[in-house]
Amino acid sequence: MLMTSAKQPQQQQQQQLSTLFSLRGSLLTLAILTLLSFTFLSLKYSSPSPSPRLSLSDSLPDSLIIDQHSANHHQLDHDDDDEEYTDIYHSPRVFKLNFADMENNFKVYIYEDGDPNTFYQTPRKLTGKYASEGYFFQNIRESRFRTLDPDQAHLFFIPISCHKMRGKGTSYDNMTIIVQNYVESLISKYPYWNRTLGADHFFVTCHDVGVRATEGLPLLVKNSIRAVCSPSYDVGFIPHKDIALPQVLQPFALPAGGNDIENRTTLGFWAGHRNSKIRVILARVWENDTELDISNNRISRATGHLVYQKRFYRSKFCICPGGSQVNSARIADSIHYGCIPVILSNYYDLPFNDILDWRKFAVVLKESDVYQLKQILKKISDAEFVTLHNNLVKVQRHFQWNTPPIRFDAFHMVMYDLWLRHHTIKY
């Protein structure tokens, strides 16, 4: 009886341990199944396709798929189409979703105060190498993004046209004073600047003096979003808040290039003024080469009609060295004419760099690579060149200004960049 009584507690303990281990095993099994379920859902709905070509019909709901035919007719619906988006975008799915969100929600308030001869009311002509500034000024005024109610605005546009001031002969010193006085008047008249010390304000300038003209307002430089054509890291450009405005020389003299690979027999082409160290080196090293078409001066119009532009059609790669600034309208020219741009500029934040994967349609080099330029280009296989060229044709619409603007054109891409920036603003 004593032995039987002693065994009973032991049996009870064993039963309790067995129950405990069974419970632990069940919980562990449940945890593993839950983890596997979340992993499966994450891979299904979040991970990019391993395929280099991503079909929108496989990755987005029908209501968010982009209709290229409608885009060509200036419509803004979201119907299906057969277009496939390659990895020219860092994340095609994120881009499409965020772009649709921007179109539906983004609102910008434009300050209207100020001298109409200096500010927003009369933007300068939409031609020349600084045309991007004028196009933006005109398009934002007529776009769906503008709101007349500042309380609805996500961002506030300071309509300072430094290009216009420069065209009127305004000196740099006077330009700085004009900008300072104007912004200070907005700060004193309206309550919006002081809410974020200008972090939800932005201005747009393509002329390089536009960046210098804001030096009298440290908070404008430090806090506000600057959309500029001179986005050089070594002159104060801040990539996480500022925007590289594409410098586009419009109107283009000739139609866009594309589906013309067989005509591109010249390895590389550049012609221009030697107004920077990299251009001097480029001309000195390669101007006598038999495979690279390098000229140390712009091609004279006396040699024939549109000879310079026609050379883009015949070249595989178009060299884009920085000039007096890192940027150059030659990059947009190369994209338009279907010639793979070869970027030769240090400290350059390329336009839409956080949206587009430039290495999928351009060759991005350091300035020190100029000495191996020919060898680098010759190592690019025919198959790689075809891929670069096909991708280049896909991004052409992003480097085209239109009035009125067209979906996915340069204006909408700049607005999308602004939309991304506004999410980082903390009130």
Side-chain angles (χ1 to χ4, degrees):
M1 293 295 293
L2 291 173
M3 291 180 62
T4 303
S5 300
K7 287 181 179 179
Q8 287 179 348
Q10 293 179 356
Q11 291 176 350
Q12 291 177 352
Q13 290 178 357
Q14 289 176 353
Q15 289 176 352
Q16 291 174 351
L17 288 173
S18 177
T19 302
L20 178 61
F21 285 130
S22 176
L23 179 60
R24 286 180 177 177
S26 299
L27 291 174
L28 179 60
T29 302
L30 179 60
I32 293 173
L33 290 174
T34 303
L35 178 61
L36 290 174
S37 298
F38 276 115
T39 302
F40 172 77
L41 292 173
S42 176
L43 291 173
K44 182 176 180 181
Y45 295 109
S46 300
S47 299
S49 169
S51 171
R53 297 184 66 83
L54 178 64
S55 172
L56 282 179
S57 60
D58 295 333
S59 61
L60 292 180
D62 292 344
S63 61
L64 290 176
I65 294 176
I66 291 175
D67 185 346
Q68 180 61 33
H69 178 75
S70 297
N72 290 336
H73 289 79
H74 302 192
Q75 297 176 2
L76 296 176
D77 54 14
H78 293 193
D79 298 331
D80 297 67
D81 69 346
D82 297 328
E83 183 176 359
E84 289 187 344
Y85 286 85
T86 67
D87 49 3
I88 55 175
Y89 306 102
H90 291 298
S91 177
R93 183 182 295 111
V94 170
F95 172 62
K96 299 307 167 197
L97 291 171
N98 283 347
F99 193 93
D101 190 27
M102 173 200 72
E103 288 183 303
N104 293 329
N105 300 303
F106 195 19
K107 295 299 178 186
V108 173
Y109 180 77
I110 306 172
Y111 289 109
E112 295 188 359
D113 305 78
D115 179 3
N117 292 321
T118 304
F119 305 112
Y120 156 79
Q121 286 81 351
T122 53
R124 203 174 176 193
K125 61 182 181 179
L126 306 182
T127 57
K129 62 181 180 178
Y130 305 119
S132 295
E133 183 176 319
Y135 271 105
F136 184 88
F137 273 58
Q138 178 161 315
N139 287 348
I140 188 65
R141 179 182 59 191
E142 301 168 352
S143 76
R144 57 163 40 197
F145 303 109
R146 183 184 184 183
T147 178
L148 300 179
D149 182 359
D151 292 327
Q152 293 182 352
H154 299 93
L155 293 179
F156 294 78
F157 178 38
I158 303 174
I160 304 169
S161 180
C162 295
H163 181 207
K164 183 185 302 178
M165 285 190 274
R166 189 68 170 177
K168 291 180 174 295
T170 306
S171 68
Y172 163 67
D173 291 335
N174 287 338
M175 195 182 300
T176 303
I177 294 172
I178 291 173
V179 171
Q180 182 176 353
N181 290 341
Y182 174 53
V183 176
E184 287 178 348
S185 71
L186 299 180
I187 295 173
S188 63
K189 183 176 180 179
Y190 299 96
Y192 310 111
W193 174 281
N194 290 324
R195 296 186 308 183
T196 64
L197 292 180
D200 57 356
H201 286 56
F202 73 96
F203 72 95
V204 175
T205 179
C206 195
H207 202 296
D208 54 340
V209 300
V211 178
R212 299 171 58 201
T214 60
E215 292 176 351
L217 284 160
L219 284 179
L220 185 64
V221 176
K222 179 181 178 181
N223 294 348
S224 299
I225 303 169
R226 299 182 296 169
V228 298
C229 285
S230 303
S232 179
Y233 297 141
D234 58 350
V235 293
F237 183 83
I238 305 174
H240 72 270
K241 77 170 185 68
D242 295 336
I243 293 173
L245 186 70
Q247 185 174 4
V248 186
L249 181 59
Q250 287 188 220
F252 294 108
L254 295 170
N259 301 319
D260 54 2
I261 292 177
E262 66 280 358
N263 298 327
R264 299 183 179 277
T265 56
T266 302
L267 178 62
F269 165 63
W270 175 75
H273 299 299
R274 292 186 292 180
N275 58 347
S276 67
K277 181 179 179 181
I278 184 60
R279 292 187 176 193
V280 171
I281 297 173
L282 176 66
R284 186 181 71 240
V285 175
W286 299 111
E287 63 181 337
N288 296 320
D289 191 85
T290 56
E291 295 180 271
L292 294 175
D293 182 6
I294 306 297
S295 303
N296 62 8
N297 287 296
R298 289 299 293 265
I299 298 173
S300 173
R301 295 180 180 178
T303 60
H305 184 58
L306 300 176
V307 172
Y308 173 73
Q309 289 82 356
K310 292 176 182 177
R311 299 271 267 278
F312 282 89
Y313 287 131
R314 299 201 300 268
S315 303
K316 291 183 176 181
F317 301 95
C318 288
I319 319 304
C320 302
S324 57
Q325 298 292 326
V326 294
N327 55 292
S328 169
R330 184 177 283 100
I331 296 175
D333 284 345
S334 301
I335 293 173
H336 174 77
Y337 293 118
C339 184
I340 308 302
V342 179
I343 311 299
L344 269 178
S345 291
N346 293 343
Y347 315 113
Y348 186 9
D349 195 79
L350 292 159
F352 317 133
N353 198 33
D354 48 354
I355 307 167
L356 302 175
D357 188 347
W358 275 78
R359 296 185 184 276
K360 300 298 174 60
F361 59 90
V363 178
V364 182
L365 304 176
K366 302 185 296 291
E367 290 185 0
S368 59
D369 292 327
V370 65
Y371 299 100
Q372 292 82 38
L373 178 62
K374 181 177 176 179
Q375 295 90 319
I376 292 172
L377 297 183
K378 288 179 73 68
K379 284 183 180 179
I380 298 174
S381 67
D382 291 340
E384 290 171 330
F385 169 72
V386 170
T387 299
L388 287 170
H389 178 78
N390 291 339
N391 287 340
L392 189 70
V393 174
K394 292 180 182 294
V395 302
Q396 285 175 338
R397 61 178 179 170
H398 297 321
F399 293 85
Q400 170 77 48
W401 290 96
N402 303 284
T403 180
I406 299 175
R407 200 169 191 235
F408 298 117
D409 66 0
F411 172 72
H412 282 90
M413 293 293 283
V414 173
M415 294 303 295
Y416 180 73
D417 249 338
L418 290 168
W419 175 248
L420 295 180
R421 298 300 189 275
H422 106 273
H423 286 294
T424 65
I425 297 169
K426 304 298 182 184
Y427 288 91

